[in-house]
Amino acid sequence: METSQPRIQAKLCQRCILPETFPGINFDENGICNYCRREESTMANDHAKKAEYRQRLDELMTEMKDQAPTYDAITAYSGGKDSSYTLKLLKERYELRILALTFDNHFVSPKSWENIKKVTDRLQIDHISFRPSWPMVKSLFAKTAQEDIFPAPTLLRASSICTACIGLVKSLVLKTALEMSIPLVAFGWSPGQAPIQSAIMKTNPAMIRQNQSALKRAFPSEISTQLDTYFIPATYYEMYNKSFPYNIHPLAFFNYDEQNIERELHVLGWQAPTDTDTNSTNCLLNAFANQCHLQRHGFHPYVWEIANMVRQGVMNRDEGIKKIYPEQNQKMVEYAKERLEL
Ligand SMILES: [Zn+2]
């Protein structure tokens, strides 16, 4: 092993980098984990599946483009590389009328704001940002930094802090889509974050209602009452019953190569931020969120996502290890702690 490699204390799957501390894991005699063995059968037709989904999206876009009164699509836009690339893809491949929405969680890095402006201007995409008031955000993040308020399965995939933040993002973009009659909601989930099976899906009001109440219930009551305006109002399910949008996350089925994505984004003026950690290209809270999760659970909250990408071959094993196993940047951890007064 090279000296530049991070020091790893746990035993890792020889294929996907999941550690022995990951819940429910076991290894075979070759050091391959049960998650890898389970995936083997479904990976075989991965290539055909991606082609099938690309065609489905092409057809859907042909059908939907220019039908809505205002925008064809709304995109949850963090300014990070994945959502930037999603914007580029949708704009250049389909020439959609897109509205980009940034959830300003008060930890969007300055470099990210520059990227957001550059990318949306270059692609001629309208942009709005939504900034909840600081006292609410602060209590939300302080709570989730100290406590796991979500069910165990969600914590295999993301930290409590990220889950809270992303729950609000999803809710807000859907709410905006309904209010503005936008038929398509796009996310920049990486191929490791969300499976291809859910990459093109019409949202179902009954299911959304269920997800929303589960999310609401997870928050302590003093916080959830403050969050009411971010959730879908009960009347919307009836009022907009026929116009629930499609959710898409195209990066699950287009070629995903980090270096290539960054190269293409550079052309638009996007620059990899130097002010964030190894897993996030936009958020200044992420290193702290990772550290809280690591301390409570003994595994990195991004390891599930990165292991998926290594398994799928969209990232190599060494790159994955370099993303997951270095120490968290302590300056960034301290910065977040100080702002949250923890
Ligand atoms: Zn594995």
Side-chain angles (χ1 to χ4, degrees):
M1 201 174 270
E2 304 162 34
T3 47
S4 65
Q5 290 279 9
R7 205 158 46 90
I8 300 163
Q9 271 138 11
K11 174 183 175 185
L12 308 186
C13 170
Q14 288 304 309
R15 184 167 295 154
C16 78
I17 80 164
L18 282 179
E20 62 187 335
T21 47
F22 197 79
I25 202 165
N26 60 63
F27 298 100
D28 69 9
E29 65 281 11
N30 300 316
I32 308 295
C33 79
N34 47 325
Y35 295 97
C36 281
R37 297 197 302 275
R38 198 173 66 194
E39 291 295 310
E40 254 162 25
S41 53
T42 58
M43 300 271 291
N45 59 6
D46 205 42
H47 206 67
K49 206 153 211 111
K50 285 185 174 179
E52 179 199 318
Y53 271 74
R54 283 196 296 271
Q55 190 175 348
R56 273 184 60 190
L57 188 64
D58 287 352
E59 286 165 7
L60 186 67
M61 293 303 108
T62 312
E63 186 191 314
M64 293 181 116
K65 192 168 139 50
D66 297 332
Q67 300 300 307
T70 55
Y71 297 97
D72 301 311
I74 182 167
T75 303
Y77 188 35
S78 70
K81 69 172 177 1
D82 292 339
S83 55
S84 296
Y85 193 65
T86 302
L87 282 180
K88 181 177 191 286
L89 184 82
L90 293 177
K91 182 70 186 191
E92 292 183 348
R93 187 176 170 101
Y94 302 110
E95 298 179 330
L96 297 186
R97 297 168 301 161
I98 301 170
L99 179 64
L101 185 151
T102 300
F103 182 70
D104 179 359
N105 70 358
H106 295 251
F107 287 92
V108 179
S109 82
K111 289 268 176 223
S112 267
W113 286 119
E114 284 174 32
N115 283 330
I116 286 170
K117 287 176 192 160
K118 280 183 193 151
V119 169
T120 50
D121 280 343
R122 277 296 286 274
L123 292 172
Q124 299 186 36
I125 286 173
D126 295 343
H127 174 254
I128 53 175
S129 66
F130 182 92
R131 182 171 174 274
S133 76
W134 173 241
M136 192 283 283
V137 171
K138 189 179 160 205
S139 61
L140 178 70
F141 289 151
K143 182 77 181 175
T144 43
Q146 293 166 293
E147 217 178 291
D148 290 316
I149 60 172
F150 300 104
T154 66
L155 299 172
L156 297 181
R157 290 144 204 260
S159 66
S160 259
I161 288 180
C162 278
T163 306
C165 192
I166 285 171
L168 297 184
V169 171
K170 283 160 111 175
S171 188
L172 265 174
V173 284
L174 174 60
K175 189 160 167 268
T176 311
L178 291 171
E179 288 165 353
M180 294 181 75
S181 307
I182 302 174
L184 209 67
V185 175
F187 295 96
W189 308 138
S190 79
Q193 273 174 324
I196 192 166
Q197 290 79 3
S198 61
I200 303 176
M201 205 170 251
K202 182 125 168 82
T203 54
N204 168 320
M207 215 160 83
I208 298 288
R209 195 196 276 263
Q210 248 178 38
N211 294 345
Q212 289 258 312
S213 69
L215 183 65
K216 233 169 160 168
R217 268 201 314 273
F219 294 109
S221 60
E222 74 272 15
I223 294 179
S224 81
T225 49
Q226 295 180 64
L227 294 176
D228 258 348
T229 42
Y230 308 108
F231 292 114
I232 311 292
T235 50
Y236 281 24
Y237 295 102
E238 193 59 43
M239 191 166 24
Y240 296 113
N241 188 275
K242 295 272 181 294
S243 51
F244 269 66
Y246 274 86
N247 270 352
I248 60 169
H249 51 91
L251 300 190
F253 51 89
F254 281 94
N255 283 338
Y256 187 92
D257 174 312
E258 240 178 43
Q259 275 88 43
N260 184 47
I261 286 176
E262 293 203 1
R263 219 170 14 248
E264 285 192 41
L265 291 177
H266 284 162
V267 179
L268 302 177
W270 186 95
Q271 283 178 323
T274 46
D275 51 2
T276 57
D277 65 302
T278 53
N279 307 112
S280 168
T281 48
N282 56 281
C283 182
L284 297 175
L285 182 56
N286 203 48
F288 178 56
N290 292 344
Q291 182 162 90
C292 294
H293 190 93
L294 268 160
Q295 279 170 354
R296 282 207 292 274
H297 300 284
F299 63 93
H300 193 293
Y302 280 75
V303 73
W304 172 262
E305 173 191 352
I306 300 297
N308 279 337
M309 293 212 271
V310 171
R311 208 178 286 127
Q312 290 170 32
V314 298
M315 184 180 289
N316 74 42
R317 197 168 177 279
D318 273 356
E319 282 171 331
I321 287 173
K322 281 185 193 142
K323 276 199 186 285
I324 295 300
Y325 291 102
E327 293 286 312
Q328 297 305 308
N329 180 328
Q330 285 311 302
K331 255 171 71 186
M332 296 194 58
V333 169
E334 286 309 317
Y335 164 81
K337 273 171 85 168
E338 217 164 274
R339 282 191 61 195
L340 296 174
E341 294 182 61
L342 293 173

